[in-house]
Amino acid sequence: MTLPWKQLLLLSIIDCLADCLDSGSYHGPKWRMEPGDLFIPVDSIEEEATLTCDAKGMPPPQYRWSLNGTLINLSLDRRRRLSGGNLIISSLDRYQDVGMYQCMAFNTVGAILSRRASLLFAYLDHFKVHTRSAVSVREGQGVVLLCGTPTSSGDLTYAWVFNEYPYFVQQDNRRFVSQQTGNLYIAKVEPSDVGNYTCVVMNSITKGKVQSSPTSLILRTDGKTQLTAMM
């Protein structure tokens, strides 16, 4: 039976009480280093990931780790092992290894829990392949071209190509690329803005880059204005 994390901590402290009576100069663990969040590129899942955990104490601390609140049984786990207090995970699995990790350091005097650290996998899927509808707008009015970011995990940056690579849209007082949504905003459209626009998305973790199908921007003069490009 797997004991809950907090119950295991309590039992560890109780088991140490007799030894604590003769502790003398002994003292409980104190953190030197706690685990930090990790983002692992999906295409590097054959590599190892290391979650750091280091504490000082007298006697020297021992360590246990939990994943999503459940104790990791290292004696039965061939992919996970300890090096000092560090947890090393090999042959990474994006489904089994993702989650929140926590380290416990303990000795005969006491025990401490680290901060929770997340292990996530970064990826960037491709755009759906389809023809995007042209966007028409009257000269002098504003328009928003939607990027329609594909499914992803990790920090993203956005840019737009105008007509053909490597001519990127230069941001100024009329043109703005949102780094939250990827959408391109153009104020007071001019004839020189007419052309094809392609959204480019880059993942700073995986270094991957994908681009959308082009969206055509055209001028219209019949008094009706379409303001946004549909995904």
Side-chain angles (χ1 to χ4, degrees), residues 174-190:
R174 288 198 311 112
R175 290 167 287 224
F176 170 73
V177 178
S178 169
Q179 293 303 313
Q180 280 69 51
T181 64
N183 297 340
L184 171 62
Y185 296 78
I186 305 176
K188 299 179 180 179
V189 171
E190 301 174 353

Side-chain angles (χ1 to χ4, degrees), residues 40-106:
I40 308 295
V42 165
D43 57 7
S44 65
I45 59 175
E46 294 303 320
E47 299 180 5
E48 292 184 339
T50 300
L51 289 155
T52 58
C53 184
D54 184 29
K56 60 182 180 179
M58 183 58 64
Q62 299 180 57
Y63 300 90
R64 291 193 177 105
W65 282 84
S66 69
L67 170 57
N68 297 326
T70 300
L71 178 68
I72 299 173
N73 190 340
L74 294 174
S75 63
L76 300 177
D77 196 324
R78 296 183 178 181
R79 296 190 305 107
R80 300 184 178 104
R81 68 184 190 276
L82 282 183
S83 176
N86 297 338
L87 178 66
I88 300 176
I89 309 171
S90 58
S91 300
L92 292 164
D93 187 304
R94 64 182 291 189
Y95 302 105
Q96 294 184 24
D97 296 326
V98 67
M100 299 298 295
Y101 288 79
Q102 192 171 27
C103 176
M104 179 177 72
F106 64 96

Side-chain angles (χ1 to χ4, degrees), residues 25-179:
S25 62
Y26 290 177
H27 60 87
K30 294 183 179 180
W31 290 119
R32 288 194 181 101
M33 183 175 295
E34 298 185 61
D37 298 335
L38 290 181
F39 245 130
I40 308 295
V42 165
D43 57 7
S44 65
I45 59 175
E46 294 303 320
E47 299 180 5
E48 292 184 339
T50 300
L51 289 155
T52 58
C53 184
D54 184 29
K56 60 182 180 179
M58 183 58 64
Q62 299 180 57
Y63 300 90
R64 291 193 177 105
W65 282 84
S66 69
L67 170 57
N68 297 326
T70 300
L71 178 68
I72 299 173
N73 190 340
L74 294 174
S75 63
L76 300 177
D77 196 324
R78 296 183 178 181
R79 296 190 305 107
R80 300 184 178 104
R81 68 184 190 276
L82 282 183
S83 176
N86 297 338
L87 178 66
I88 300 176
I89 309 171
S90 58
S91 300
L92 292 164
D93 187 304
R94 64 182 291 189
Y95 302 105
Q96 294 184 24
D97 296 326
V98 67
M100 299 298 295
Y101 288 79
Q102 192 171 27
C103 176
M104 179 177 72
F106 64 96
N107 62 13
T108 56
V109 181
I112 53 175
L113 286 173
S114 73
R115 66 178 295 272
R116 292 179 175 87
S118 63
L119 191 156
L120 301 173
F121 291 87
Y123 61 91
L124 176 60
D125 289 342
H126 290 280
F127 281 93
K128 294 180 180 180
V129 179
H130 69 280
T131 301
R132 297 192 172 199
S133 301
V135 176
S136 58
V137 61
R138 292 185 64 183
E139 182 177 353
Q141 293 196 339
V143 67
V144 181
L145 302 183
L146 303 183
C147 180
T149 307
T151 304
S152 64
S153 176
D155 296 330
L156 303 180
T157 57
Y158 300 89
W160 284 77
V161 171
F162 179 54
N163 284 329
E164 60 182 18
Y165 185 84
Y167 299 104
F168 286 92
V169 173
Q170 300 300 311
Q171 298 188 74
D172 52 27
N173 58 353
R174 288 198 311 112
R175 290 167 287 224
F176 170 73
V177 178
S178 169
Q179 293 303 313

